[in-house]
Structures are given as C-alpha cells and as structure tokens.
Amino acid sequence: MRRIVFTIIFLISGLVGIGIWRYGQITNSGTETSFLRGVDVSHHQGAIDWSALAEDDTAFVFIKATEGVSHVDPRFDENWRGARRVGLPRGAYHYFTLCETGRAQAEHFIATVQSSSATLPPVVDLEDTGACSEGFRITDVPADIFDFIDLIETERDVRPILYTNHSFYEQHLSKTLAGEQYWLRSFSGEPDFGPSDWLFWQYTDQGRRRGISGPVDLNAFAGDAADLRALTNP
C-alpha cells in the first residue's frame, strides 16, 4: 500500500511539474518559448535603456501615447524615439476613458501620434470603468469605441487592436465587438475569454527586463517573426 501511495504522489508531482514547466515557457525569461515576447511601457517605467531592452528577449514594444482627450504620456516622445533607434517593432496605445466621446479621443491620439512607417497597429486600451469627475459619461460604450476605431482606421488605414480584460470584455465588447483583433490580459494562464484567436496576450505585470529598473508588463504574440513583420505597416 505504501508503495502505491508513493507512486500516486510521484505521478501527481510529475503532472504538476509539467504544468509549471509549461507556464515557465512564458513567465521565465531564460526559458525557450514558442511565443514571441514583448513589453508595454509608459512613464511609470522611468528612463529605459533601449539597447539593453532590445537585447533581452524583447521582440516588440507598445508605448503609451495618450489618455482621454488631452493627456499625453510624459515619456511618449522619448520612448517612441528610443524604440526606433534600436530597431524594435513599436506600436502606440491610447487609454480609453468613458468620460469623453470616442471620436474626440481618436482625434487626440491622431494629433499626438504622427503617421510613420514600420509601426505596429495602434491599440485602444479598454479597461476603465471608473467614475467621471465632471459627471459626464458615455451611455453607449460600444458605439463610442466603434467611433474611435473607425476614425483611426480612416485616418491611418489600419484597424486598431483592442486591449482589454475579462470584466470589460463581458460587460461591453462580447456582443458587438467580438470580431475585432484582441490583446487580452490574463495572469492565470492563457485567456479563457474573448476570441480564441487572440493576437497578443498580456500574461504578467511583474516581469523583469534588462534596461528597465522595475516591473514591466510582459506580452506574448500569437505568431512567429514573419507574422510580426506582416503586422507591421510597410
């Protein structure tokens, strides 16, 4: 009986170890993985050593540009130039608020992020459900998101990617915006919500990379290097 118990424990331990090893393919920077991995950054990361970051298993970067209708990330220009200088595929993202119309927010993003070659599609960050300080709040959230992404597509000839989490997706996106390209946040494993053919997956907000002094968001791309190049605007 004791031998049987030990055998069962050994088998269970082995299965758990396999699960940890598989997740380690994503979470541990020193482990081989089938996913290309990149980061997303804002002024919260402070000054970035872009040369060091580009050499540390980083295949792409998304950079915060704007928020609402007036805010510009204080380090956007610096980060945008830094990523280009070292040849990292880069994309800009906008933090969407429910307190301003989608069209006005798109106009702010377009005015801030100039059209340039060799960039990843723009991203709209959809997660904010907080209160609005002045009382105004858009009532048809999907319609305003459509206004945002439609205007960006008209001006830049590329459809933005939608970044979101589980709760925002279920509340606002699942019924009317299910057919868009998604970047999904899930820290407990591959996303179990939204489209199964997600484009990017944010799997931790506590990653470490050379060139960045503190924690940073890490992301996986659902494709290979050729797919990433095809996603980049010619």
Side-chain angles (χ1 to χ4, degrees):
M1 176 63 74
R2 181 177 297 177
R3 179 177 297 176
I4 294 174
V5 171
F6 284 157
T7 301
I8 293 173
I9 292 174
F10 176 79
L11 290 173
I12 292 174
S13 299
L15 290 173
V16 171
I18 290 172
I20 293 173
W21 174 81
R22 183 177 183 277
Y23 191 61
Q25 288 185 309
I26 289 296
T27 59
N28 298 328
S29 61
T31 308
E32 292 298 323
T33 176
S34 59
F35 291 111
L36 293 178
R37 291 175 292 179
V39 300
D40 60 273
V41 300
S42 70
H43 70 279
H44 292 294
Q45 275 65 54
I48 296 173
D49 182 338
W50 286 97
S51 296
L53 178 62
E55 295 171 355
D56 191 17
D57 190 29
T58 304
F60 58 88
V61 59
F62 284 100
I63 300 167
K64 183 175 182 180
T66 52
E67 180 174 334
V69 298
S70 59
H71 178 76
V72 177
D73 188 272
R75 288 192 179 271
F76 172 65
D77 286 338
E78 175 186 340
N79 288 336
W80 196 241
R81 292 193 304 268
R84 181 180 183 180
R85 186 174 63 252
V86 299
L88 265 180
R90 57 183 180 156
Y93 76 87
H94 171 84
Y95 189 88
F96 193 89
T97 171
L98 303 187
C99 306
E100 307 286 350
T101 67
R103 182 174 184 84
Q105 294 186 66
E107 290 171 346
H108 176 45
F109 178 86
I110 291 166
T112 303
V113 184
Q114 301 302 313
S115 179
S116 59
S117 62
T119 59
L120 295 167
V123 172
V124 53
D125 182 333
L126 302 168
E127 57 181 304
D128 181 22
T129 57
C132 300
S133 60
E134 297 183 1
F136 173 82
R137 185 183 178 89
I138 57 178
T139 56
D140 190 338
V141 176
D144 272 273
I145 294 172
F146 268 124
D147 286 345
F148 181 96
I149 58 182
D150 285 348
L151 183 55
I152 297 292
E153 183 177 30
T154 298
E155 292 293 325
R156 296 293 163 83
D157 198 29
V158 59
R159 193 75 169 169
I161 299 167
L162 276 58
Y163 166 95
T164 195
N165 56 30
H166 184 274
S167 60
F168 196 100
Y169 180 85
E170 294 299 332
Q171 185 175 357
H172 297 296
L173 308 176
S174 60
K175 295 180 181 178
T176 55
L177 288 134
E180 302 294 335
Q181 293 190 111
Y182 275 92
W183 172 6
L184 302 177
R185 183 175 75 195
S186 175
F187 296 162
S188 59
E190 289 192 37
D192 59 359
F193 67 96
S196 58
D197 57 343
W198 48 265
L199 194 59
F200 292 94
W201 162 31
Q202 185 185 92
Y203 57 88
T204 182
D205 60 355
Q206 295 296 313
R208 295 286 175 173
R209 282 293 182 269
R210 290 197 301 272
I212 298 177
S213 59
V216 64
D217 297 336
L218 299 183
N219 305 276
F221 171 63
D224 58 19
D227 295 324
L228 188 65
R229 285 194 297 272
L231 189 64
T232 305
N233 292 337

